[in-house]
Amino acid sequence: MERLTHASFHVRFQPFHNGHLEYFRWAKARADCVYVGITQIYNESGGNFPGAEHRGLIDNNPLTFFERFWVIETCLLANGFSLEEFRIIPFPIEDPFHISTFLPTGVKCFTTRHTEWNEHKVKLLENAGFSVEVLERDESHIPRASGSEIRKLFRSGDSTWRKFVPDGTHSLVEELLSAKPI
C-alpha cells in the first residue's frame, strides 16, 4: 500500500471512543498527517442519514464542535501522537460539497463499513470529488461500544462506559457529558 503525505477520516465523535482511536491508528499507519474530520459541526436536528437516522436527533449530539475537538486532541496527545501528526477539521458530511472548504479534494478519505450510512457516505464523498478508501480491519480486540451505547451507560450512572473511552479522556468526557441534559 502506498504511503500518503495526508489522509483523512471523519466521524461524529459523540463521544470519541476506542473504536475511533483505532480508526485513527489505521489511518496514521498509512499517512504522515491525518485530518480528523468532525461531522455534524452545528449539532442541529435533521439531516439525511440513511440507516442511521438517530444521527440527526439533537439528543444524540450532546457535545459541541469545540468540545469534540478538545476531547480528540486530548486523547491523541495522551496516546503519544504529536500535533504534527494530525489536524482536526470541520467535516460537514451532511453537505459534502462544502467539505472542500476545509479539506482539499486531493486528500484521500478513509472510512469503514459498519452500516448503510457508511455506504451512503462513500457515494456522497465520491460525488463531491474525493477519493475514498474503505478500511477493512478486524476490530474484535477493541473494547468497543457505539456512542449511543456509551451515552446510555453514562446517563444510567453505569461506570462501565469508561472501558469504551480511551485512556487520558475519561475525566474530560465525564466533565463535558455531566454538564449536558442527556
Side-chain angles (χ1 to χ4, degrees):
M1 288 186 195
E2 70 179 297
R3 180 81 183 161
L4 304 169
T5 304
H6 293 90
S8 71
F9 87 104
H10 55 279
V11 180
R12 197 165 43 116
F13 305 114
Q14 290 282 7
F16 191 89
H17 57 63
N18 293 335
H20 298 143
L21 179 57
E22 191 67 13
Y23 190 8
F24 175 81
R25 287 182 174 134
W26 295 338
K28 185 67 185 86
R30 293 281 310 283
D32 298 328
C33 182
V34 175
Y35 290 98
V36 180
I38 298 175
T39 67
Q40 290 179 251
I41 58 179
Y42 298 114
N43 292 50
E44 297 171 343
S45 292
N48 181 24
F49 308 102
E53 288 74 16
H54 68 282
R55 293 177 177 276
L57 303 175
I58 194 71
D59 290 347
N60 292 327
N61 295 288
L63 300 175
T64 67
F65 175 85
F66 174 77
E67 290 167 335
R68 291 177 282 162
F69 184 111
W70 188 13
V71 171
I72 295 163
E73 183 178 71
T74 299
C75 177
L76 296 179
L77 292 173
N79 281 275
F81 297 99
S82 70
L83 290 174
E84 292 76 31
E85 296 178 283
F86 65 92
R87 302 286 183 275
I88 302 170
I89 62 169
F91 199 94
I93 190 65
E94 58 279 4
D95 191 2
F97 290 96
H98 282 104
I99 294 170
S100 62
T101 301
F102 307 102
L103 183 72
T105 55
V107 174
K108 183 172 292 232
C109 295
F110 292 127
T111 190
T112 56
R113 263 199 188 115
H114 292 294
T115 66
E116 176 187 345
W117 168 237
N118 295 109
E119 295 294 333
H120 186 69
K121 283 194 308 183
V122 169
K123 291 176 187 153
L124 288 174
L125 289 167
E126 289 175 342
N127 288 340
F130 289 94
S131 171
V132 180
E133 182 178 330
V134 176
L135 297 172
E136 300 288 347
R137 303 289 174 111
D138 177 16
E139 298 179 46
S140 61
H141 67 286
I142 304 168
R144 164 179 187 133
S146 70
S148 296
E149 293 164 323
I150 293 167
R151 290 188 310 275
K152 182 178 178 182
L153 289 169
F154 185 86
R155 278 192 300 266
S156 74
D158 185 338
S159 64
T160 59
W161 68 268
R162 292 174 164 273
K163 74 179 180 181
F164 303 115
V165 176
D167 291 339
T169 60
H170 297 127
S171 296
L172 180 56
V173 169
E174 186 168 30
E175 174 188 335
L176 293 171
L177 288 179
S178 292
K180 305 291 179 175
I182 61 171

